[in-house]
């Protein structure tokens, strides 16, 4: 581009210069025209307009057409030509004899001038019947010719000068004198005879009917040549860059003649070589670049031009290459974007499949639209909600995954669970949780808002439960906000109600299978929310148990289930029992601070109760806040729940009712300070550690309620 611009700029510049100079081939401020004949320097009209007095031109414009004369030789000029083939075309006289209608002209003698008749461009013609004509002043050389006679005419019928009526001959070079004399061939030869020097080309080509043309002419055109005397030439004679001069040396023929030169513009330049900076470069590319260079780019250079094929080729190649690369880059970019998009979609589809999307869809279709409310979130939505799963947003980490706090676009605070490992089993758990949770609508069960299956690891979106887990609350309990007895009682009741609902009230019975304090969440009012349904199972109504791989958390695991691999609703009851004991004692389900046999809280509590040491294990803060009777009642319930035989455990419904009752008593007692009398509660317990043995215990207000003597009581009710 830049190159092109520069070159075109240069061209414009050159064009301007050329226009400026070609405007005049005469010296500046000198007339360059006489009539419509241009007068080139070194000729000139008026003082200081010619190179040398030899070249002075006069212009008489009073006559029409104007008379142009070379004053130094007193010859009338027809026109000038001043280039490589420069000449002055002058009026050459016609010498005649015995012509009725014309008088003979004077001859020419320009001896001593730089001008002479061009030997190559002019010829001598003699016409007339029986003519014999000679040039004078060429002595000792005799120049002339003779013709025959046909019809007594000047020129023959074919207008040729082959000796019939007309003859011609070449002239000597550097002829400066011209005249002719006629000789009679025979006595009878009469009539008009002509002789003249004429421009050969004009005579041969331009005049077709020579007889009639010459009849009326006073003169014929002839061409003068000349050399410029060295002393007149104001230019260095040596070869210049734009012009050159060649010498016209004086020959032996004309010993008196001065040394002289002629100057020309160099090849590739045009203009007037005698003028200062008269020769200007020809832009050869201007006239017909196609012809000069074909498809290549024609580039003008001083004196010449270049066909820059390679450059053009390179430019075209460069441009096409650049364009190609650009296209490729754009195409590549689009392709990349497209492939990336496609890959992302594929990936999301893959994840969706791997994450059980199909399973979920299947579940959706088979569960009659109850999952409709569960929203499928996009990965983008959840990225935004959790600030790209920022570490600062982590609420907790568990066996199943990490839980992040997030905020949806609509402002809802949510908990996003991101599974850690994705294997087939986990996927099943995950989908299971989605399906189960979406079927449950209970105030004490954490609500599932939706899920996202497009990511590498499946994501679950829950309502956000702000106060952490019961486990945290019990075991990392701050002194400032200890859990009151009433709250503990209420939490126990709520868990029991939730499980009762899961076991019986929900459309399909659901076993939670992983009840533990760390799966109980606490909301802003410390209400229990049962969570983590990853291992839960829903079973058909007529089924009573699930035969599975033993699954659960050590410390909460039902020993009967552990032995038989048969999970029943009573297995959840056992786990609930452990939570109940945790609520009573604030002890961890497994603790290595306790003696070996009491490492498990369940065992520890049962042993303590049976050894009548219940109040040794109950949290001191609890005993301070309540009547012992309530503690005993709860402990009794826990004791029953922890029965080694599932059959002997109460159902969750019974447990919930019992806790409801205790809670109402507690409220009453708070109002009335009236303690209800509590008698013994007798419970049948089978211990895992002594397989077959059956123990019987009773719970009493005072004394050991958990002895192994009493007969089993089916009912938990006393009295
Ligand atoms: C110009 O030509 C006219 C007629 O052709 C003539 O009368 C006149 O004298 C000429 N003038 C000069 C200066 O030669
Ligand atoms: C030159 O001038 C003559 C008359 O002065 C005219 O007849 C002729 O046509 C002109 N030639 C051109 C080329 O203008
Ligand atoms: C031509 O003129 C020169 C002088 O200028 C003279 O010496 C010579 O004799 C003349 N020639 C003829 C043939 O008249
Ligand atoms: C004229 O020329 C033609 C051929 O160009 C020739 O045949 C003919 O004889 C010529 N006429 C005379 C009178 O020489
Ligand atoms: C000129 O020509 C005529 C015939 O046309 C002739 O009678 C006369 O003698 C000729 N004159 C001379 C001097 O030859
Ligand atoms: C002869 O004729 C050509 C074209 O027909 C023309 O260009 C040229 O000027 C003529 N020559 C003369 C001396 O008139
Ligand atoms: C003309 O040029 C030749 C060669 O340069 C030289 O020998 C001769 O003296 C010159 N004659 C005159 C008159 O200047």
């Amino acid at each position: 581009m830049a190159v092109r611009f520069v070159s075109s700029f240069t061209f414009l510049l050159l064009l301007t210069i050329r226009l400026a100079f070609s405007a005049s081939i005469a010296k500046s401020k000198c007339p360059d025209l006489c009539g419509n004949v241009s007068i080139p320097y070194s000729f000139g009209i008026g003082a200081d307009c010619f190179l040398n007095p030899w070249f002075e031109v006069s212009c008489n414009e009073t006559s029409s057409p104007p008379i142009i004369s070379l004053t130094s030789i007193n010859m009338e000029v027809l026109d000038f030509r001043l280039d490589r083939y420069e000449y002055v075309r002058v009026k050459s006289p016609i010498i005649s004899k015995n012509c009725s209608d014309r008088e003979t002209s004077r001859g020419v003698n320009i001896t001593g001038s730089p001008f002479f008749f061009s030997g190559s461009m002019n010829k001598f013609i003699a016409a007339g019947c029986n003519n014999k004509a000679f040039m004078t002043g060429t002595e000792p050389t005799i120049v002339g010719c003779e013709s025959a006679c046909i019809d007594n005419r000047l020129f023959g019928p074919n207008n040729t000068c082959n000796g019939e009526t007309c003859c011609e001959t070449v002239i000597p070079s550097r002829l400066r004198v011209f005249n002719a004399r006629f000789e009679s061939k025979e006595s009878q030869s009469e009539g008009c005879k002509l002789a003249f020097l004429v421009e050969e080309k004009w005579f041969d080509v331009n005049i077709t009917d020579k007889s009639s043309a010459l009849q009326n002419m006073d003169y014929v055109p002839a061409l003068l040549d000349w050399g410029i005397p060295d002393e007149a030439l104001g230019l260095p004679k040596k070869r210049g860059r734009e012009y050159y001069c060649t010498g016209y040396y004086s020959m032996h023929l004309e010993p008196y003649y001065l040394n002289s030169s002629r100057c020309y513009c160099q090849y590739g330049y045009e203009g007037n070589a005698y003028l200062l900076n008269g020769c200007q470069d020809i832009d050869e590319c201007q006239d017909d670049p196609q012809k000069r260079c074909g498809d290549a780019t024609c580039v003008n250079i001083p004196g010449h031009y270049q066909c820059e094929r390679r450059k053009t080729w390179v430019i075209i190649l460069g441009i096409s290459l650049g364009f190609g690369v650009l296209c490729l880059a754009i195409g590549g970019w689009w392709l990349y974007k497209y492939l990336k998009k496609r890959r992302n979609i594929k990936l999301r589809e893959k994840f969706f499949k791997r994450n059980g999307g199909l399973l979920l869809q299947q579940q959706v279709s088979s569960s009659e639209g109850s999952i409709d409310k569960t929203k499928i979130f996009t990965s983008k939505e959840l990225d935004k909600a959790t600030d790209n799963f920022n570490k600062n947003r982590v609420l907790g980490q568990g066996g199943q995954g990490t839980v992040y706090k997030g905020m949806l676009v609509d402002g809802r605070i949510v908990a996003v669970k991101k599974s850690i490992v994705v294997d087939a089993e986990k996927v099943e758990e995950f989908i299971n949780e989605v399906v189960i949770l979406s079927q449950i609508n209970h105030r004490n069960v954490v609500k599932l808002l939706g899920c996202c299956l497009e990511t590498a690891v499946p994501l679950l979106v829950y309502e956000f439960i702000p106060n952490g887990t019961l486990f945290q609350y019990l075991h990392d309990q701050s002194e400032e906000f200890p859990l009151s007895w009433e709250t503990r009682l209420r939490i126990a009741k709520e868990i029991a109600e939730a499980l009762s609902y899961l076991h019986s009230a929900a459309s399909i019975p659901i076993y939670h299978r992983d009840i533990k304090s760390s799966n109980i969440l606490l909301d802003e009012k410390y209400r229990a929310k049962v969570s983590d349904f990853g291992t839960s199972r829903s079973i058909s109504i007529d089924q009573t148990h699930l035969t599975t791989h033993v699954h659960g958390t050590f410390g909460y695991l039902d020993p009967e289930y552990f032995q038989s691999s048969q999970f029943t609703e009573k297995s959840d009851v056992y786990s609930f029992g452990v939570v109940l004991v945790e609520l009573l004692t604030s002890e961890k389900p497994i603790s290595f601070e306790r003696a070996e046999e009491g490492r498990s809280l369940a065992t520890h509590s049962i042993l303590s109760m049976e050894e009548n040491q219940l109040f040794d294990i109950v949290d001191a803060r609890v005993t301070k806040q309540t009547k012992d009777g309530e503690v005993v009642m709860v402990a009794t319930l826990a004791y029953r729940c922890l029965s080694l035989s599932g059959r002997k455990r109460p159902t969750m419904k019974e447990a919930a009712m019992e806790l409801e009752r205790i809670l109402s008593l507690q409220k009453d007692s708070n109002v009335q300070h009236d303690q209800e009398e509590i008698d013994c509660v007798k419970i049948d317990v089978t211990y895992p550690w002594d397989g077959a043995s059956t123990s019987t215990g009773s719970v009493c207000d005072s004394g050991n309620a958990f002895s192994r003597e009493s007969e089993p009581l089916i009912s938990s009710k006393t009295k």
Side-chain angles (χ1 to χ4, degrees):
M1 269 306 191
V3 173
R4 259 200 94 85
F5 174 73
V6 168
S7 70
S8 59
F9 177 72
T10 318
F11 159 66
L12 276 175
L13 200 70
L14 282 175
L15 191 73
T16 335
I17 292 167
R18 277 182 62 187
L19 281 172
F21 280 87
S22 66
S24 176
I25 53 169
K27 209 171 173 184
S28 60
K29 294 172 187 170
C30 288
D32 58 349
L33 279 177
C34 180
N36 49 17
V37 175
S38 57
I39 315 293
Y41 190 73
S42 51
F43 300 93
I45 302 165
D48 293 334
C49 286
F50 39 81
L51 177 71
N52 179 282
W54 288 115
F55 301 98
E56 187 181 354
V57 173
S58 72
C59 181
N60 186 346
E61 283 182 300
T62 53
S63 56
S64 180
I67 297 166
I68 308 156
S69 300
L70 267 173
T71 51
S72 60
I73 55 170
N74 193 27
M75 286 188 85
E76 282 189 37
V77 175
L78 292 167
D79 65 329
F80 300 87
R81 180 165 163 181
L82 199 60
D83 56 12
R84 207 159 301 280
Y85 311 101
E86 63 187 349
Y87 57 77
V88 178
R89 184 176 279 132
V90 292
K91 294 179 177 176
S92 172
I94 299 171
I95 312 298
S96 65
K97 189 187 174 190
N98 200 14
C99 295
S100 55
D101 53 346
R102 72 163 71 227
E103 294 205 344
T104 186
S105 300
R106 286 189 297 118
V108 179
N109 185 356
I110 52 175
T111 307
S113 83
F115 300 97
F116 54 91
F117 287 98
S118 166
S120 57
M121 312 281 275
N122 301 305
K123 63 181 176 184
F124 174 77
I125 300 288
C129 197
N130 283 319
N131 197 5
K132 200 175 180 183
F134 299 93
M135 286 172 65
T136 58
T138 59
E139 292 84 4
T141 314
I142 297 164
V143 180
C145 68
E146 57 179 274
S147 60
C149 184
I150 297 170
D151 290 346
N152 205 27
R153 289 166 59 166
L154 273 174
F155 296 91
N158 274 5
N159 279 316
T160 53
C161 277
N162 54 4
E164 300 166 348
T165 315
C166 170
C167 68
E168 65 178 45
T169 187
V170 294
I171 61 165
S173 60
R174 297 172 196 246
L175 184 68
R176 285 199 169 84
V177 178
F178 172 70
N179 214 327
R181 64 184 167 85
F182 300 94
E183 275 179 18
S184 288
K185 262 170 77 180
E186 290 153 38
S187 55
Q188 76 267 23
S189 68
E190 300 300 324
C192 177
K193 295 174 173 61
L194 302 177
F196 48 88
L197 269 181
V198 68
E199 179 185 351
E200 186 175 9
K201 206 177 160 196
W202 175 85
F203 184 75
D204 289 347
V205 178
N206 287 48
I207 308 301
T208 43
D209 188 358
K210 294 179 169 53
S211 301
S212 57
L214 280 166
Q215 209 80 52
N216 306 314
M217 290 187 80
D218 297 331
Y219 62 90
V220 288
L223 299 180
L224 288 186
D225 204 349
W226 69 95
I228 292 175
D230 287 349
E231 77 273 6
L233 197 66
L235 293 161
K237 231 172 146 180
K238 65 172 177 148
R239 207 179 163 86
R241 191 173 128 91
E242 292 159 1
Y243 67 92
Y244 63 96
C245 298
T246 57
Y248 270 55
Y249 297 107
S250 55
M251 297 302 205
H252 60 276
L253 280 172
E254 25 192 33
Y256 45 81
Y257 187 58
L258 303 168
N259 288 351
S260 62
S261 302
R262 287 278 287 275
C263 297
Y264 307 95
C265 286
Q266 289 277 22
Y267 183 79
Y269 291 82
E270 64 183 4
N272 193 329
Y274 303 106
L275 286 168
L276 189 67
N277 297 323
C279 294
Q280 296 299 328
D281 178 47
I282 300 168
D283 188 357
E284 293 87 353
C285 299
Q286 258 318 98
D287 46 334
D288 196 356
Q290 208 75 27
K291 191 177 152 196
R292 287 179 192 276
C293 289
D295 293 335
T297 306
C298 181
V299 175
N300 183 48
I301 55 170
H304 204 53
Y305 66 95
Q306 279 179 348
C307 297
E308 305 205 324
R309 185 173 296 278
R310 258 181 66 207
K311 222 171 210 174
T312 319
W313 189 76
V314 163
I315 286 168
I316 288 169
L317 187 82
I319 287 169
S320 9
L321 243 158
F323 190 73
V325 165
L326 194 75
C327 281
L328 246 151
I330 291 172
W333 187 69
W334 278 110
L335 195 72
Y336 171 76
K337 286 283 256 190
Y338 173 76
L339 286 179
K340 197 174 160 192
K341 206 172 162 186
R342 241 179 81 100
R343 211 193 62 190
N344 275 346
I345 290 171
K346 278 262 158 104
L347 205 63
R348 269 183 272 163
E349 275 173 9
K350 195 185 105 189
F351 286 147
F352 186 78
K353 266 185 214 167
R354 195 177 74 181
N355 293 342
L358 300 179
L359 194 62
L360 183 63
Q361 274 172 350
Q362 203 181 324
Q363 296 275 15
V364 168
S365 57
S366 66
S367 64
E368 289 149 24
S370 57
I371 305 174
D372 288 355
K373 285 164 273 172
T374 312
K375 192 182 167 192
I376 307 272
F377 289 91
T378 64
S379 51
K380 218 182 234 177
E381 270 180 294
L382 296 186
D383 276 349
K384 198 173 169 192
T386 57
D387 191 14
N388 290 317
F389 295 93
N390 195 322
K391 268 186 213 163
N392 302 334
R393 300 284 192 99
V394 173
L395 290 171
Q397 254 164 330
Q400 283 196 318
T402 312
V403 181
Y404 295 84
K405 186 177 178 178
M407 190 164 105
L408 296 181
V409 188
D410 60 13
R412 269 186 301 171
I413 307 288
V414 293
V416 180
K417 188 160 105 180
K418 191 178 189 179
S419 301
I420 292 174
V421 193
V422 190
D423 51 39
E425 198 188 338
K426 293 278 181 190
V427 166
E428 216 178 305
E429 277 181 13
F430 171 81
I431 293 305
N432 206 46
E433 183 158 2
V434 175
V435 171
I436 286 174
L437 276 175
S438 58
Q439 288 168 346
I440 300 168
N441 183 18
H442 190 270
R443 65 180 183 279
N444 296 119
V445 175
V446 72
K447 197 174 283 166
L448 179 76
L449 300 177
C451 62
C452 173
L453 304 171
E454 294 173 348
T455 45
V457 285
L459 302 168
L460 284 177
V461 183
Y462 300 94
E463 61 172 328
F464 177 67
I465 311 294
N467 274 335
T469 67
L470 178 62
F471 183 91
Q472 285 167 347
Y473 213 88
L474 282 174
H475 306 301
D476 314 331
Q477 210 185 80
S478 62
E479 290 299 317
E480 292 171 67
F481 305 105
L483 272 184
S484 70
W485 169 242
E486 188 187 346
T487 307
R488 289 174 195 234
L489 212 48
R490 182 172 47 72
I491 288 170
K493 187 207 81 176
E494 282 165 350
I495 299 166
E497 277 172 353
L499 290 176
S500 167
Y501 168 83
L502 290 172
H503 287 177
S504 54
S507 52
I508 313 161
I510 295 161
Y511 299 161
H512 186 283
R513 302 214 306 162
D514 199 14
I515 289 293
K516 55 184 175 183
S517 55
S518 54
N519 278 345
I520 311 296
L521 302 178
L522 298 175
D523 73 2
E524 65 281 359
K525 286 177 180 166
Y526 296 97
R527 282 178 305 217
K529 298 267 189 182
V530 177
S531 79
D532 206 344
F533 286 76
T535 56
S536 307
R537 287 288 180 280
S538 57
I539 60 159
S540 54
I541 307 228
D542 48 348
Q543 248 181 316
T544 54
H545 65 263
L546 280 166
T547 305
T548 62
H549 296 297
V550 174
H551 215 300
T553 305
F554 193 53
Y556 295 92
L557 205 58
D558 172 15
E560 197 177 56
Y561 165 54
F562 188 76
Q563 279 172 350
S564 66
S565 292
Q566 287 193 343
F567 196 94
T568 65
E569 64 170 321
K570 298 294 176 68
S571 307
D572 270 349
V573 175
Y574 182 90
S575 303
F576 171 72
V578 179
V579 175
L580 214 50
V581 176
E582 269 185 276
L583 280 166
L584 275 174
T585 61
S586 302
E587 295 259 2
K588 290 183 180 173
I590 299 290
S591 174
F592 292 95
E593 287 164 20
R594 294 190 289 263
E596 194 180 345
E597 56 174 6
R599 287 231 169 110
S600 154
L601 181 61
T603 315
H604 179 61
S605 60
I606 285 168
L607 288 177
S608 300
M609 285 187 239
E610 285 175 352
E611 285 161 20
N612 206 10
Q613 292 165 347
L614 172 66
F615 288 95
D616 290 351
I617 59 165
V618 172
D619 190 343
R621 288 169 294 198
V622 169
T623 45
K624 262 184 238 162
Q625 288 175 20
T626 183
K627 301 275 158 40
D628 295 347
E630 287 165 16
V631 175
V632 171
M633 278 190 280
V634 173
T636 307
L637 180 60
Y639 188 82
R640 289 174 60 213
C641 291
L642 293 175
S643 169
L644 289 181
S645 165
R647 282 182 298 103
K648 291 175 185 168
R649 295 173 203 153
T651 62
M652 277 320 303
K653 190 171 184 177
E654 286 167 343
M657 282 165 62
E658 175 69 10
L659 284 164
E660 175 81 62
R661 197 178 67 83
I662 298 167
L663 196 61
S664 64
L665 282 178
Q666 201 263 349
K667 277 176 184 155
D668 289 349
S669 72
N670 277 358
V671 179
Q672 300 169 6
H673 296 276
D674 174 27
Q675 194 190 348
E676 197 180 318
E677 201 66 31
I678 297 167
D679 293 339
C680 295
V681 180
K682 289 186 178 172
I683 293 161
D684 175 67
V685 190
T686 307
Y687 292 97
W689 48 88
D690 54 350
S693 78
T694 301
S695 306
T696 312
S698 60
V699 174
C700 290
D701 191 9
S702 54
N704 188 358
F706 307 98
S707 71
R708 300 184 185 187
E709 295 145 14
S710 8
E711 281 300 304
L713 269 171
I714 305 303
S715 166
S716 63
K717 292 251 170 101
T718 53
K719 284 190 187 168

